[in-house]
Each structure stands twice: as structure tokens, then as C-alpha cells.
């Protein structure tokens, strides 16, 4: 099973700043089958990024994904108030596993 | 609008059974794989089970294999999860999610979009 480790656990930032979230896999993720989700309190997760770098439908371009192999990054440029949430990565190249999440909180 | 609505959750004693349902609308249900993902409140996400469009490819997490059974009825646009021999550690919010991507003969390599709002399963004596 591929284990995904997300860091940091919590990121404290101000609106307008850039957030950089990391997701590291215990083995190489085939074909960059890596997705990112956003989850707000009381809501279901929402797909942001798939294939490591492709934005899902309706996702603003301040969200971007990058990486390959075992190291992946989600970048949120110019944080908006609605971006403060928990973010999860998921790999779907070998079975299906999620990272433990990174909470982006208001500083 | 694509919509997924789960039902069937509740309080159940350890060792008992429960059946979850997910009603889909707003898309061609029989074109897509479907999945169940669970989340202990305040904790992370765990994939539980997935099924391809024609039920020919079904997979389970090791934690539920042999106890849970996923199924679908394309005529009713519905997904199900039969949960037997429930354990305290099965307590979670259970989400239904549409799978995007491809399925092999044994498993689906999917991202999930969209998700339902979830149904809460509590296993306690």
C-alpha cells in the first residue's frame, strides 16, 4: 500500500499570502495519479486537482498542482477567505489511499 | 446538477448489520464507477470500496474485506453498501462518491468527484 504523508500538519497564513502544501508518497505514484481535495467544516471533500496538475472543473486558477514520482505540491496563490480549510492528497495509481491532511488556518 | 444522496446510517450494536444506500441523479449513472469513502469525525479519509459500471470490477479496503459488500442497481441509479459484523472502529461518516478514471479487471484507478453529504454510522453497545 502506498502511504501518503502530508506536511505541514497545520499552515497558519494570512489572506493574500501563498500556501505551499506537500504530499510525499512511500513509493512512486504511477502516471502521476495524484489528486488534491479541499474540505471545509461540515462539508464533503471537493476535488481540486487530478493527474497531479490538472484543475478540476470550476476550480479557480489560484490553485495549482505540481510534482511527480514521490513528491507532489499543492500551491494556493493569494489566499482568499474561503480557502481556509483542510486539504487532502489521494493517490489512485495503486489501490486508493489518502494523506492525513493539512489544515490551512487564518493567522 | 450531479447529486449523490446517502441514506441508511444510524446507531447499531457491534456484530450487527446495516445497509447504506446512495441515490444518484443528474448524470448517466451506468457510465461511471462508484465508491464508498469513510471519515471518522475530525479525522482523515479512508477509501472503503469501489465498483465499476457493470459490477465486473469490485475492490475493498483490507479493513472491511469479508465483512462489507458493495453493489449497484443501474436501473435504479443506486449504489449500496451491505455492512456485516460491524465493529466499533467502523464508526464514521460514510460518503458515496463518483469515480473518474479507468477500471481494470480487479480495481478502479479513480479520483472522486463529486461526493455526497454522507451518512453517519455509529457502532456502539
Amino acid at each position: 500500500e502506498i502511504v501518503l504523508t502530508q506536511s505541514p500538519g497545520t499552515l497558519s497564513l494570512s489572506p493574500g499570502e501563498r500556501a505551499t502544501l506537500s504530499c510525499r508518497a512511500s513509493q512512486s505514484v504511477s502516471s502521476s495519479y495524484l489528486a488534491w481535495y479541499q474540505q471545509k467544516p461540515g462539508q464533503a471533500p471537493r476535488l481540486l486537482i487530478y493527474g497531479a496538475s490538472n484543475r478540476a472543473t470550476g476550480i479557480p486558477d489560484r490553485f495549482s498542482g505540481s510534482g511527480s514520482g514521490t513528491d507532489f505540491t499543492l500551491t494556493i496563490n493569494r489566499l482568499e477567505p474561503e480557502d481556509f480549510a483542510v486539504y487532502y492528497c489521494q493517490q489512485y495509481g495503486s489501490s486508493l489511499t489518502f494523506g492525513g491532511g493539512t489544515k490551512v488556518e487564518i493567522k | 446538477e450531479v447529486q449523490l444522496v446517502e441514506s441508511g446510517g444510524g446507531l447499531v450494536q457491534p456484530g450487527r448489520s446495516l445497509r447504506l444506500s446512495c441515490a444518484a441523479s443528474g448524470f448517466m449513472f451506468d457510465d461511471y464507477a462508484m465508491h464508498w469513502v469513510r471519515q471518522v469525525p475530525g479525522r482523515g479519509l479512508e477509501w472503503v470500496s469501489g465498483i465499476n459500471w457493470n459490477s465486473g470490477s469490485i475492490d475493498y479496503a483490507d479493513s472491511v474485506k469479508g465483512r462489507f459488500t458493495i453493489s449497484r442497481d443501474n436501473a435504479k441509479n443506486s449504489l449500496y453498501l451491505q455492512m456485516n459484523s460491524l465493529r466499533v472502529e467502523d464508526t464514521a461518516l460514510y460518503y458515496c462518491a463518483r469515480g473518474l478514471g479507468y477500471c481494470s479487471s480487479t480495481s478502479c484507478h479513480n479520483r472522486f468527484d463529486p461526493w455526497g453529504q454522507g451518512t453517519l454510522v455509529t457502532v456502539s453497545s
Side-chain angles (χ1 to χ4, degrees):
Chain A
E1 173 182 293
I2 296 179
V3 176
L4 299 178
T5 302
Q6 292 189 240
S7 61
T10 302
L11 201 49
S12 298
L13 295 167
S14 300
E17 292 191 297
R18 172 184 294 177
T20 303
L21 288 66
S22 172
C23 177
R24 179 161 290 177
S26 60
Q27 307 168 43
S28 182
V29 177
S30 60
S31 304
S32 293
Y33 284 156
L34 194 287
W36 291 92
Y37 299 86
Q38 176 193 66
Q39 187 176 34
K40 298 178 182 179
Q43 296 186 17
R46 176 175 71 144
L47 178 67
L48 299 175
I49 300 287
Y50 66 94
S53 61
N54 302 289
R55 273 188 300 276
T57 303
I59 301 304
D61 61 7
R62 64 180 181 274
F63 291 91
S64 64
S66 62
S68 64
T70 60
D71 288 296
F72 299 87
T73 300
L74 174 70
T75 301
I76 313 171
N77 286 310
R78 301 178 308 277
L79 279 164
E80 297 284 345
E82 62 268 27
D83 299 336
F84 292 91
V86 179
Y87 293 83
Y88 294 96
C89 59
Q90 175 227 345
Q91 68 80 25
Y92 48 103
S94 173
S95 191
L96 300 163
T97 54
F98 290 91
T102 290
K103 181 180 182 180
V104 178
E105 66 176 20
I106 299 177
K107 187 174 182 180
Chain B
E1 178 193 4
V2 175
Q3 194 169 16
L4 300 170
V5 179
E6 302 92 338
S7 61
L11 174 63
V12 61
Q13 293 179 326
R16 304 300 291 266
S17 299
L18 207 58
R19 188 193 195 209
L20 306 184
S21 299
C22 171
S25 60
F27 66 101
M28 294 296 290
F29 183 72
D30 54 7
D31 277 351
Y32 293 90
M34 297 295 296
H35 297 263
W36 290 99
V37 179
R38 66 186 181 184
Q39 183 174 36
V40 174
R43 305 290 295 276
L45 300 164
E46 179 188 18
W47 171 78
V48 173
S49 181
I51 185 169
N52 78 330
W53 71 277
N54 67 353
S55 306
S57 176
I58 289 175
D59 200 11
Y60 300 95
D62 288 343
S63 58
V64 307
K65 202 169 290 184
R67 300 187 298 122
F68 289 11
T69 302
I70 192 172
S71 62
R72 64 189 295 162
D73 185 336
N74 288 344
K76 295 183 178 179
N77 289 347
S78 293
L79 175 72
Y80 306 101
L81 186 67
Q82 178 66 42
M83 304 186 295
N84 297 333
S85 303
L86 281 161
R87 304 169 179 169
V88 171
E89 55 265 35
D90 294 319
T91 295
L93 186 63
Y94 284 73
Y95 292 105
C96 161
R98 185 176 67 174
L100 301 180
Y102 84 97
C103 295
S104 68
S105 60
T106 56
S107 61
C108 289
H109 301 269
N110 290 171
R111 59 197 187 268
F112 307 121
D113 185 36
W115 302 53
Q117 283 305 302
T119 187
L120 182 62
V121 173
T122 303
V123 184
S124 175
S125 54

